[in-house]
Amino acid sequence: MDQLMAIKAFARVVEAGNFTRAADSLDMPNATLSKLVQELEAHLGIRLLQRTTRRVTVTPEGRDYYEKALRIVRDLEDIDHSFNAESAKPGGYLRIDIGGSTARDVLIPALPDFIARYPDIRIDLGVADRAVDLISGNVDCVIRGGPLSDSSLVARHLGDAEMITCAAPGYLKTYGVPAYPQELKNGHRMVSYLSPQSGRAFPFRFTQGEEQLEIKSEHRIGVNESNAHLAAAVAGLGIIQTFRYAAAADLQAGKLVEILTAWRPANYPFHVVYPQNRHLTQRLRVFIEWLREVFPERLNGTMLGRHSWRPHE
């Protein structure tokens, strides 16, 4: 058995979802690919795939083997690529993890530029506000905001995002526009962002010159995903604090209104993070360089317009 070819065949079946598409992508007969996977299963003594006449599903053991073997396959691709004198451009898979609103409003709109520059790099983008473990999650890098606590990771600063406090016009017409942060404790509804890790609500923070305030209030609604958190404010459920880039389109459309503009929260730092003991591949190196080039402007460059609003008398 050609074990490396069998691993590649198995990985392609997992990615393609069936044997036919996998065989086509590898330019080999379906029977040959099926035999390679069967030989790999016999060699390992486990069932990697469950086959029916309609579909192929990955067993728990198969999923675990795929995650571990995929790193080997991609490392070998890197080695081959680095010794290929005819190819000066980086290529291969790049697996990235990023939060929801940052993916939607910052990274994804910029990705066409990266793909145009590096057409041989293939991207697997994991989008969730809950940060993954870089080692067990088999991820090349993560893009995250906030303070860094793990000293075993390498972090590169990508810029700072402006934070704002905002609410829907309908909400402000009903409950009034607060003039000072302390007024949020007097009958206002706050939609809290919940930590995806701990489930705790982040307090509302404000700064004015040297003065800093932190408002902790019992929330009626808490949300642990950034896009849904923004949607709650648009729906009129209450006041939120969020990134200006995330709210920019809704501010422009009049669906949200910025309030307490004299008491803006401090800017929020963003970093790209990767394990310090992991080989820095050429594709990851150029991706980090590209991020540091385009992210600072995009974190604060997507503002479409600022609005002030007061309810009609």
Side-chain angles (χ1 to χ4, degrees):
M1 179 188 67
D2 183 341
Q3 186 172 0
L4 179 57
M5 192 65 241
I7 291 172
K8 288 182 177 180
F10 163 66
R12 193 59 58 87
V13 172
V14 174
E15 293 159 358
N18 64 54
F19 279 82
T20 301
R21 284 198 297 266
D24 289 343
S25 68
L26 291 172
D27 195 24
M28 68 170 58
N30 202 325
T32 302
L33 183 139
S34 180
K35 182 180 179 182
L36 283 168
V37 174
Q38 290 173 3
E39 289 176 343
L40 181 61
E41 289 178 322
H43 171 74
L44 297 172
I46 59 173
R47 175 74 68 181
L48 298 172
L49 301 170
Q50 293 287 358
R51 307 163 181 82
T52 68
T53 55
R54 292 187 176 182
R55 59 182 301 185
V56 175
T57 57
V58 187
T59 66
E61 295 82 6
R63 177 60 60 183
D64 187 47
Y65 186 79
Y66 169 78
E67 295 292 343
K68 290 179 171 63
L70 191 61
R71 172 61 59 181
I72 297 172
V73 171
R74 292 181 177 175
D75 283 348
L76 284 171
E77 288 178 353
D78 272 348
I79 294 170
D80 290 345
H81 196 84
S82 65
F83 282 94
N84 185 351
E86 296 180 358
S87 179
K89 295 188 295 184
Y93 278 98
L94 189 61
R95 191 168 181 184
I96 306 155
D97 191 77
I98 187 171
S101 66
T102 315
R104 184 194 67 181
D105 299 309
V106 182
L107 179 62
I108 290 176
L111 271 182
D113 173 68
F114 181 79
I115 293 171
R117 295 191 200 185
Y118 305 104
D120 295 330
I121 295 179
R122 291 167 286 179
I123 293 176
D124 290 344
L125 194 62
V127 180
D129 284 1
R130 181 185 294 273
V132 301
D133 184 279
L134 282 113
I135 306 301
S136 62
N138 195 27
V139 174
D140 292 294
C141 68
V142 299
I143 300 168
R144 283 292 183 267
L148 300 173
S149 57
D150 192 340
S151 60
S152 68
L153 302 175
V154 180
R156 295 287 181 264
H157 185 231
L158 297 177
D160 300 297
E162 185 179 352
M163 299 284 293
I164 65 168
T165 308
C166 59
Y171 170 88
L172 296 174
K173 188 173 182 179
T174 301
Y175 293 93
V177 181
Y180 301 98
Q182 294 89 338
E183 292 183 27
L184 295 180
K185 297 181 179 180
N186 301 326
H188 276 285
R189 299 185 177 186
M190 299 157 69
V191 180
S192 294
Y193 181 76
L194 306 179
S195 167
Q197 281 72 41
S198 67
R200 296 177 181 174
F202 285 96
F204 280 49
R205 295 186 172 96
F206 301 90
T207 62
Q208 186 183 64
E210 298 297 321
E211 189 174 358
Q212 297 183 359
L213 292 176
E214 189 172 281
I215 304 296
K216 294 181 180 179
S217 179
E218 193 71 26
H219 63 264
R220 292 199 177 188
I221 296 178
V223 184
N224 69 351
E225 196 279 326
S226 51
N227 290 315
H229 183 236
L230 185 69
V234 173
L237 294 174
I239 298 170
I240 66 167
Q241 285 190 332
T242 189
F243 303 119
R244 182 176 291 282
Y245 67 72
D250 291 316
L251 289 168
Q252 178 69 25
K255 296 179 180 179
L256 289 175
V257 177
E258 183 180 0
I259 60 174
L260 297 169
T261 56
W263 291 86
R264 290 198 180 97
N267 287 351
Y268 206 70
F270 274 79
H271 297 83
V272 56
V273 182
Y274 58 92
Q276 62 180 352
N277 60 350
R278 180 168 291 175
H279 170 60
L280 189 62
T281 62
Q282 187 184 14
R283 62 178 176 269
L284 180 55
R285 184 180 298 108
V286 298
F287 180 68
I288 292 172
E289 291 173 354
W290 176 80
L291 285 176
R292 298 183 74 183
E293 174 188 336
V294 303
F295 245 62
E297 179 182 356
R298 288 183 172 272
L299 285 173
N300 274 317
T302 55
M303 184 57 199
L304 300 177
R306 300 189 180 187
H307 297 261
S308 60
W309 180 89
R310 293 287 175 187
H312 296 293
E313 297 298 336

